[in-house]
Amino acid sequence: MFNEKAQMMKGDKIRELQKEKMLKMVRYAHDNVPMYKRKFKEAGITPSDIKSIDDIHKIPFTVKDDLRDHYPYGILAVPKEKVVRFHASSGTTGTPTVVSYTRNDLDTWYDLMARTYNAAGVEPEDIVQNAYGYGLFTGGLGFHSGAEKLGCAVLPTATGNTKKQIKLMYDFQTNVLACTPSYAIYLSEAAENFGYKPAKDFNLRVGMFGAEPWSDEARASIQESFGLKAQDVYGMSELYGPGVAVECPKQNGLHIWGDEFYVETIDPISGEVLPEGEKGELVFTMLSREAMPLLRYRTKDIAVINYEECGCGRAHPRIMRIKGRSDDMLIIGGVNVFPSQIEAALLETEGIGEHYQIIVDRDVLDKLYVKAEVDRGHYESDEYDEEELLKRTSENITAVLNIRARVKLLEPGSIPRTVGKAKRVLDMREEHDRIEDV
Ligand code: ADP
Ligand code: ZN
């Protein structure tokens, strides 16, 4: 097992290490990052006030805007000369958030990534096809270097060039596929179109899927079509990148590597810390980041944390799967829903394919509007009844989510495919803004 000591660390040891590292980190961030010195001063505290893990609640949050304010070099705790890498989040809106790494930061990250692969069931003998995007996005280099560190052979195919991707998957009999879940679905579809039977012709055993929310139904479908175990990987560029948390083969929550990350859940509106087991926004404190320390960083990701030891023997706390970001939450007819819950309801409906889009047009919606592709493979041409499928789809959505839905059925292939993170929600409000801008 790769870094067995860290992977199998007992709960009391994790907490002891968290305390020791946290106290050091708080002082380090305060002394080396002017922003933290200021935040501490404003809150009327000094590093000496933080004596235990619970004292961390006294420290103000760090938010994404704090990072944007430090464009381009980010929140630096070291002289620029000590930085060996910059990454940036895609930042579809506004200034990108830049993150920086020292040599030690990269080593820590790659160790976390190697553990992440290994905990998900990947072994040094495996060939890893890395179809995450390489570049400023942390996915490519993160999944690349972690696999190398574990001792795997990496095929750095990057995202796109699907035909070649599939040929390599076949010729090399790749064992592990690393990419976004939406791209995995796209690849399986494309492989079938090229005449392959993915589960039979390919040799994939484990999928390392992350960077976006996906439902259990999407997981079941990917597992079945490729005949692999589809493992969920969570992370974000602010916290090194991927490799913050990963599913073990029990597939019952993602283990957050507690020796490197201290996690809390808060009420996203009031900012209040929630008791264990309550659903809320995840807040992370990095325990050994050199270049860009982050104390109590608000992720906007909503989840529940489970502190019970897992059946796999790991004591690292588990995030039950991320349903979505507070940003993406839709309020439809007064009910809060995440796109991934809508996905679950759609994929549960026999006759509906894997590609869909949610259309949002007003701030407060009274009805959900979705476009979904028909799963033609499910029907013999004579028994397809559009009316019946429409009715059943909206009924299913209402049964699962308790909201009303208007559904439009499309032929397979009508919804644009993405190779990176999928864009499931089409926000017409943005479109209107764009028209008004012109
Ligand atoms: P950006 O998308 O802004 O470029 P990142 O690539 O760092 O930045 O994306 C991080 C975000 O992606 C997370 O905050 C989370 O919302 C989402 N994400 C990453 N992994 C997962 C996952 N396994 N499940 C659900 N959401 C995820
Ligand atoms: Zn486990």
Side-chain angles (χ1 to χ4, degrees), residues 276-347:
E276 268 184 40
E278 265 186 47
K279 185 164 96 181
E281 178 179 345
L282 301 178
V283 171
F284 283 92
T285 295
M286 300 185 85
L287 298 175
S288 46
R289 187 75 172 268
E290 270 185 0
M292 194 191 82
L294 284 179
L295 307 178
R296 305 197 80 205
Y297 182 68
R298 290 186 63 160
T299 61
K300 295 194 172 170
D301 291 328
I302 306 286
V304 177
I305 300 176
N306 178 348
Y307 289 87
E308 277 165 37
E309 198 175 294
C310 176
C312 72
R314 287 181 188 82
H316 295 278
R318 277 170 289 160
I319 320 176
M320 302 326 275
R321 294 178 78 202
I322 311 265
K323 293 253 189 291
R325 300 171 63 86
S326 54
D327 286 358
D328 299 338
M329 197 178 73
L330 303 170
I331 304 174
I332 300 168
V335 181
N336 297 351
V337 277
F338 288 109
S340 62
Q341 293 173 294
I342 299 167
E343 169 176 304
L346 287 173
L347 298 192

Side-chain angles (χ1 to χ4, degrees), residues 89-90 137 211-213 232-237 301 322 325 421:
S89 79
S90 44
F137 172 54
E212 62 184 3
D232 196 356
V233 187
Y234 171 76
M236 71 187 63
S237 47
D301 291 328
I322 311 265
R325 300 171 63 86
K421 298 192 188 207

Side-chain angles (χ1 to χ4, degrees), residues 236-281:
M236 71 187 63
S237 47
E238 297 91 314
L239 307 174
Y240 297 120
V244 174
V246 65
E247 276 180 321
C248 66
K250 298 273 172 209
Q251 293 187 326
N252 184 20
L254 290 74
H255 289 283
I256 307 167
W257 298 116
D259 54 325
E260 290 296 343
F261 302 99
Y262 178 73
V263 67
E264 306 164 72
T265 20
I266 62 162
D267 178 322
I269 310 218
S270 68
E272 217 173 293
V273 179
L274 296 173
E276 268 184 40
E278 265 186 47
K279 185 164 96 181
E281 178 179 345

